[in-house]
Every structure is written in C-alpha cells, then in structure tokens.
Amino acid sequence: MHRLAVFFAALTVLFGSAHSPAPAQDRTLTVFAAASMKNALDDIDAAYTAKTGVKIVASYAASSALAKQIEQGAPADIFMSADTDWMDYAIGKRNISESTRVNLLGNAIVLVAPKDSSTDNVTIAQGFDLARLAGDGKIATGDVKAVPVGKYAKAALEKLGAWTAAEPKFAMAESVRAALTLVARGEAVLGIVYSTDAKVEPGVKVIGTFPADSHPAIIYPVAATTIAKPEAADYLAFLRSSAAKTILEKYGFKFLVSPTT
C-alpha cells in the first residue's frame, strides 16, 4: 500500500511539473503606431531588439482605428498617434498612462503626384486652386473626419480657401499609406500625405509643401497604455535616445525632445 502511495505521488509531481507555466519572462512588447511610422519604427524596433532581446510586435493603421482598438481591449503596450487628438481621446477613455506621454515627433504635409505626372512645382498659398489642378482626376488623402493626415489636409485647404471647390474630388482613404498607394498606382492624380511618406514611396513625387501655419502643428505623441508591461518604460526611453533620433531624422521626422543618451 505504501509503494502504491509513493507511485501516485511521483506521478503527481511528474505531470504537475509538466503542466506548470514556465517561469521565463515574456520578452515581447506590442506597439500600436500610426501608419506613417512604419518604415522608421521598423528600423527602431530592430535596433531595440538587437540591444535588449525584447521582441517588438508592431501594428500599423490610422491613429483613429488604433485608438478605437485599444478602447475595445486590444492588448497594446504602447500607442503612438499621428496627432494629439487621438492620444487625448485614448487618455479620456482611461486607456493610456498619461504620465508616460511624450510629444515626440513633428512632420509636414505635402502635395504629391504620380512619379510620371507632368504636374510639377506647385506654389501652395492663399487662393491655391487645387480643384483646377486635379482636373477630372481624384485627390487622395486620409478620411478628413478621422484620419490625422486628412484632418490636417482639410484644415490647410480651408485656411487657403481651396476646400469647397476641391472637396468633391477627394478619395478618402483609411490611412495615409492607403492614400499614398492610390497616388503611386495612378488611381489618384494628386494626394496629400506626410513628407515622410513621400520620402519612402518611389512611385510618387512631391510637387508642393503646405505652409506650416496653414494647419495645426503636426505632432506625434507616444505613451504606454494602462495595461502595458513594465518593459514598456524602457522602450519609451529608447524612443527618446540619440540612436532613435538618428533613425527618425533619416526618414524626415522632426525630433521634438532632447535625446536622452
């Protein structure tokens, strides 16, 4: 009887240990970032993983879509928005650790055309006639009601007196990268995107830059979510580092903070 008891005790130990969770740390962080961040942030994440061993899983989309996904319970550790409005929205929904927020980057919006377009060197100023420039073609940008680049574009065109005539010609895309693709494929004759997007897409050319005072300042805030893993703090610190600054400036972003190291 004693031997039988010992046998079952041994089985319990064996199978119990087999099904116990491994004590190894979860070395992954999930980053939700504005679509315009993709190329630069992919490089930053590779550098961060090489330095720390922590794997970054990045999800790119319009800031509006990402903020709503976080609100609905998506397991993000970091949120990087292309405007302050959607970060404010996420903070208002109590999804963001407000004390971790940093207004990290700046950008500019530009007018682009397909690479082989005959349109070139457009002066964008008061009275600028975007509707006439587009002719019978479409103008692509992000959804002006939600996607940050679209909101910036509409604000600029309203201030310059060009919105009312041009509005019927707009093709609203789900993100700035979707708008960029429409222009690169020739499905839109013009597009309004960030200068950083135009820089990484060989299928388009910049034909004009919107004056900085024609729209609200383009600011990219970044913060940890309220459910973030402790490692998120180190990742946020890396985003403020000299190494990250070098990468971001290579892609055309303006670094708005003093680098930490």
Side-chain angles (χ1 to χ4, degrees):
M1 192 70 180
H2 175 69
R3 287 181 180 177
L4 199 59
V6 170
F7 174 73
F8 280 114
L11 283 179
T12 301
V13 170
L14 177 63
F15 286 101
S17 62
H19 291 281
S20 296
Q25 184 183 7
D26 178 8
R27 303 280 286 168
T28 302
L29 287 173
T30 301
V31 177
F32 277 20
S36 51
M37 289 299 306
K38 179 171 173 35
N39 300 71
L41 204 60
D42 281 351
D43 284 3
I44 285 173
D45 292 347
Y48 184 74
T49 298
K51 179 174 183 278
T52 65
V54 176
K55 181 183 176 185
I56 306 300
V57 177
S59 179
Y60 299 106
S63 304
S64 49
L66 296 173
K68 295 287 183 130
Q69 289 172 23
I70 291 170
E71 182 185 358
Q72 291 160 12
D77 296 294
I78 301 288
F79 177 41
M80 182 177 285
S81 173
D83 73 357
T84 56
D85 289 349
W86 284 110
M87 181 62 78
D88 291 343
Y89 176 91
I91 287 172
K93 296 294 181 180
R94 301 188 178 181
N95 299 133
I96 295 296
S97 176
E98 189 172 4
S99 63
T100 67
R101 175 180 177 164
V102 175
N103 289 338
L104 186 68
L105 304 172
N107 210 335
I109 52 172
V110 295
L111 187 65
V112 294
K115 194 71 175 178
D116 59 359
S117 171
S118 59
T119 306
D120 217 343
N121 297 327
V122 176
T123 299
I124 301 175
Q126 197 66 39
F128 162 59
D129 194 347
L130 181 61
R132 184 185 61 77
L133 191 66
D136 295 330
K138 289 290 185 182
I139 308 162
T141 195
D143 182 349
V144 300
K145 294 179 180 176
V147 179
V149 73
K151 291 163 63 183
Y152 292 128
K154 182 182 178 183
L157 293 172
E158 284 181 332
K159 184 159 186 182
L160 297 171
W163 173 249
T164 302
E167 181 181 6
K169 299 179 184 291
F170 269 88
M172 306 297 181
E174 65 182 14
S175 72
V176 67
R177 288 298 171 94
L180 187 69
T181 299
L182 289 175
V183 182
R185 289 177 179 170
E187 294 171 31
V189 297
L190 298 170
I192 300 174
V193 299
Y194 299 116
S195 62
T196 52
D197 292 297
K199 194 178 173 81
V200 298
E201 174 50 72
V204 307
K205 63 179 179 179
V206 175
I207 61 173
T209 300
F210 285 84
D213 63 359
S214 67
H215 54 78
I218 299 173
I219 294 172
Y220 286 63
V222 61
T225 65
T226 52
I227 60 168
K229 299 184 186 81
E231 293 83 5
D234 185 64
Y235 179 81
L236 287 174
F238 186 75
L239 287 177
R240 299 183 62 170
S241 69
S242 296
K245 179 177 185 285
T246 299
I247 293 169
L248 289 159
E249 289 183 341
K250 180 182 78 171
Y251 281 96
F253 289 97
K254 183 179 179 183
F255 210 65
L256 299 181
V257 297
S258 298
T260 49
T261 54

